[in-house]
Amino acid sequence: MNWSIWDRVEDVLRSNEIVPMLAVVPHNADPVLQVADPNPRFWDRARAWEEASWDLMMHGFDHVYLTSDAGLCGHNARSEFAGVPEPDQRRKIEEGLRILDAEGLTAAGW
């Protein structure tokens, strides 16, 4: 996450009392999303967002594309889930939910 940009976005959201939905990748392994050093207080921040009534949405599990399947939406010709066997999809969703739960967080959606 680009924290210098996110900090400014978060300030704007809070100062304007905007309640967003935030996409969280529980086990981010996507180098494209790793634009800065990991924030050791990330989960504390996520808990603060949830305490402020911001909805946390589980955005996949690790954000690593496994297929070239565009899926139902047809938005991207790659996916972490589309074209992946259902048991593997379920395992990743369940593990993502376990990570969030272990951090005291609840996914409002996926």
Side-chain angles (χ1 to χ4, degrees):
M1 181 172 227
N2 187 327
W3 288 102
S4 62
I5 291 174
W6 174 251
D7 289 340
R8 293 190 313 239
V9 169
E10 189 171 335
D11 287 344
V12 169
L13 293 170
R14 288 184 186 281
S15 66
N16 289 285
E17 299 180 4
I18 297 170
V19 180
M21 292 186 297
L22 302 177
V24 175
V25 181
H27 185 69
N28 180 28
D30 183 349
V32 173
L33 296 181
Q34 297 171 354
V35 296
D37 291 334
N39 182 337
R41 300 193 43 91
F42 172 78
W43 294 114
D44 293 331
R45 297 272 301 260
R47 282 187 287 276
W49 299 329
E50 191 170 76
E51 288 167 12
S53 297
W54 294 12
D55 286 331
L56 302 181
M57 312 302 277
M58 193 169 85
H59 186 70
F61 172 65
D62 57 17
H63 212 263
V64 174
Y65 300 129
L66 300 175
T67 71
S68 297
D69 191 328
L72 295 173
C73 297
H75 180 67
N76 290 318
R78 58 196 191 285
S79 180
E80 177 183 354
F81 285 91
V84 174
E86 183 179 338
D88 296 341
Q89 292 183 38
R90 286 185 182 277
R91 179 191 53 77
K92 291 174 80 164
I93 292 168
E94 289 167 359
E95 181 59 24
L97 290 171
R98 274 193 288 277
I99 290 170
L100 294 174
D101 184 61
E103 293 297 340
L105 299 166
T106 303
W110 181 76

